[in-house]
Amino acid sequence: MTAEELRESLLCSPRNGLLELTSEQRQEMENYCKRYAAFMDACKTEREATAWATREAEARGFRPAVPGMEVKPGDKIYLNNRGKSFLIAVVGTESLAKGANICAAHVDSPRLDLKPQPLYEDSEIAFVKTHYYGGIKKYQWTCVPLAIHGVVCKKDGTEVTVTIGEDESDPILVVSDLLIHLSADQMKKTLAEGILGEQLNVILGTEPLEGEGADLVKLNIMSLLNEKYGMVEEDFRTAELTVVPAGKCREVGLDRSLLGAYGHDDRVCAYAELEPIFNMDTVPTHTAVCILADKEEIGSVGISGMQSHAFEYFMEILCDGQGVKLSHCFANSFCLSADVSNAYDPNFPETCDRRNNSMLNYGISICKYTGSRGKGGASDASSELFNKIRTIFNRAGVLWQTGELGKVDQGGGGTV
């Protein structure tokens, strides 16, 4: 054999997938990205993602999971877990005793949560205090347009949805920063120290209410919230309000080849799970299960995180509906944990092992293991499992690549 023939048969040669697309495939990709962008605009919090998924599931004939229900091939079933996480399944022709094919992603993202007693006035400026959620670079949150999303459970028992800063007619909010002329001391600090967590106070207003007494700016803000949402200050204590970047998903680059939006981690995987299970037009052999989890950014804790029993509860309903033991189902199931990887960035080459890093346009990135440093906290797939994925992708013509989350000892991470 010639060197070229040996190279073709023996070596692995990554390739840019965009160069291989037909015009029809490119249009299909563009259409998918538009649907994904619309999903991103509608789902900036896990609550919004769960509500969106529930509406779409019901419109497609999925029905809620109910203990004791009969479960048969072709059934479409979902579970809305307290409005914060979502599970969905299409029941296969094989018994659940032979396992299910499961994919899990998360729909929470780093953000600023309002504290239980957030509203205050200082120097005739009204602020709300926040407690950041998940891993953030705090300096990035200053002087960028912000919006408030969430729900308020009022003392009369009613619940109101709050969204401020997304409509074109809405005001936006900001966290202030020092102007450069006063930043000499600040600029000597590390990036982690330049803006502290207790400085992430969001400006709500500066106009005082006409009248006498203290805190007239705060009172004016409270009056506006009462007029629009019927809120009183005590309602903040039981509210779940979140500050996120304002604005819609936008195309990036003169060639419009990228999408820029808040919350790609991990709604990019959540949507990639949801669309195919929503549009499944044949009954699968093995039951297909999709999980949209909450609380991944802080350790998958709580009643809506993967450490809760929500997933087991959902699967138990399905298994009970077929007279199958849950443990037997799990013993034979297959699961992919879907989350974001990092693409190689030549601006920061020192963070990555280029030979083992994902690249833009080179296909879906498969990380065999997660964890940090010595694979601490890793989920490490076996060779047999990895080969199963390779076989499925190669047979289907899916372009894929392998990746790691940066250099050894540089960083790392995990997921649900």
Side-chain angles (χ1 to χ4, degrees):
M1 297 179 71
T2 66
E4 188 60 35
E5 290 171 333
L6 285 171
R7 182 178 291 108
E8 180 69 23
S9 63
L10 297 179
L11 299 186
C12 179
S13 301
R15 59 195 192 276
N16 189 316
L18 284 178
L19 301 177
E20 301 181 4
L21 291 178
T22 65
S23 58
E24 291 79 10
Q25 288 172 328
R26 185 176 288 273
Q27 187 58 54
E28 185 180 352
M29 178 187 71
E30 292 293 336
N31 293 339
Y32 174 88
C33 288
K34 288 178 181 178
R35 296 192 298 273
Y36 169 62
F39 169 76
M40 293 294 283
D41 291 342
C43 304
K44 287 195 173 183
T45 68
E46 68 280 353
R47 277 186 176 273
E48 291 170 350
T50 297
W52 184 93
T54 300
R55 290 193 301 270
E56 292 294 317
E58 291 179 343
R60 288 166 168 78
F62 286 80
R63 57 193 176 109
V66 178
M69 69 190 304
E70 181 186 2
V71 174
K72 59 186 185 300
D75 281 353
K76 300 178 177 181
I77 302 169
Y78 77 88
L79 176 67
N80 180 325
N81 179 23
R82 297 170 172 86
K84 302 273 283 182
S85 65
F86 183 81
L87 304 98
I88 189 169
V90 176
V91 181
T93 55
E94 291 280 9
S95 166
L96 278 160
K98 294 188 177 181
N101 290 328
I102 304 161
C103 198
H106 67 93
V107 284
D108 61 315
S109 295
R111 60 184 188 240
L112 307 180
D113 288 340
L114 266 61
K115 290 187 176 183
Q117 295 187 167
L119 185 60
Y120 71 100
E121 179 179 332
D122 191 340
S123 304
E124 298 183 82
I125 303 174
F127 298 89
V128 282
K129 297 192 70 64
T130 68
H131 192 137
Y132 65 91
Y133 169 95
I136 68 171
K137 293 181 177 180
K138 293 185 281 292
Y139 68 87
Q140 292 182 333
W141 290 75
T142 61
C143 298
V144 297
L146 299 172
I148 293 181
H149 290 236
V151 297
V152 177
C153 295
K154 299 189 291 185
K155 62 181 180 180
D156 64 2
T158 60
E159 182 178 302
V160 60
T161 299
V162 174
T163 307
I164 304 171
E166 299 293 356
D167 190 272
E168 289 185 1
S169 62
D170 282 352
I172 53 91
L173 309 172
V174 296
V175 175
S176 64
D177 194 4
L178 283 171
L179 69 163
I180 188 63
H181 306 288
L182 294 178
S183 301
D185 291 338
Q186 183 190 48
M187 299 289 280
K188 296 175 184 176
K189 298 178 180 179
T190 66
L191 289 177
E193 297 167 338
I195 296 292
L196 302 177
E198 287 294 348
Q199 291 177 302
L200 294 173
N201 303 313
V202 180
I203 297 175
L204 292 193
T206 62
E207 183 177 344
L209 194 71
E210 291 186 10
E212 302 294 330
D215 289 345
L216 291 176
V217 179
K218 173 183 174 180
L219 187 59
N220 188 35
I221 294 299
M222 204 62 248
S223 177
L224 293 170
L225 291 172
N226 180 264
E227 180 181 343
K228 185 168 184 178
Y229 298 108
M231 287 180 61
V232 297
E233 187 175 10
E234 187 179 333
D235 291 330
F236 278 115
R237 296 182 179 182
T238 56
E240 188 174 296
L241 295 172
T242 287
V243 176
V244 299
K248 294 183 178 297
C249 181
R250 298 287 298 276
E251 293 175 316
V252 176
L254 297 183
D255 58 359
R256 301 174 181 266
S257 59
L258 298 172
L259 290 177
Y262 162 72
H264 282 310
D265 181 6
D266 184 31
R267 295 180 194 115
V268 66
C269 295
Y271 187 77
E273 291 181 357
L274 280 175
E275 181 163 294
I277 204 167
F278 279 158
N279 298 324
M280 194 174 290
D281 54 6
T282 59
V283 179
T285 302
H286 290 88
T287 297
V289 179
C290 167
I291 305 167
L292 305 187
D294 182 25
K295 296 292 186 289
E296 188 275 344
E297 298 291 351
I298 58 171
S300 296
V301 297
I303 58 172
S304 51
M306 285 301 293
Q307 291 192 40
S308 74
H309 286 279
F311 170 57
E312 288 86 347
Y313 174 70
F314 179 65
M315 293 302 298
E316 189 174 74
I317 290 174
L318 300 182
C319 288
D320 285 350
Q322 293 189 349
V324 171
K325 279 191 173 184
L326 179 63
S327 58
H328 292 174
C329 175
F330 281 172
N332 293 300
S333 290
F334 170 83
C335 182
L336 285 176
S337 180
D339 209 331
V340 296
S341 186
N342 69 304
Y344 178 77
D345 187 341
N347 270 340
F348 304 97
E350 70 280 2
T351 65
C352 298
D353 170 7
R354 190 166 185 173
R355 291 180 176 85
N356 286 282
N357 208 92
S358 304
M359 300 283 288
L360 285 173
N361 301 324
Y362 277 62
I364 295 172
S365 178
I366 306 296
C367 293
K368 184 179 184 295
Y369 45 79
T370 55
S372 58
R373 294 174 174 83
K375 297 188 179 180
S379 173
D380 199 341
S382 68
S383 177
E384 292 84 355
L385 183 65
F386 206 124
N387 192 53
K388 180 176 181 178
I389 297 169
R390 175 174 70 167
T391 301
I392 291 171
F393 281 0
N394 287 348
R395 284 177 177 172
V398 175
L399 191 65
W400 62 278
Q401 59 183 316
T402 56
E404 285 198 354
L405 291 174
K407 285 183 177 178
V408 176
D409 292 337
Q410 181 71 38
T415 183
V416 294

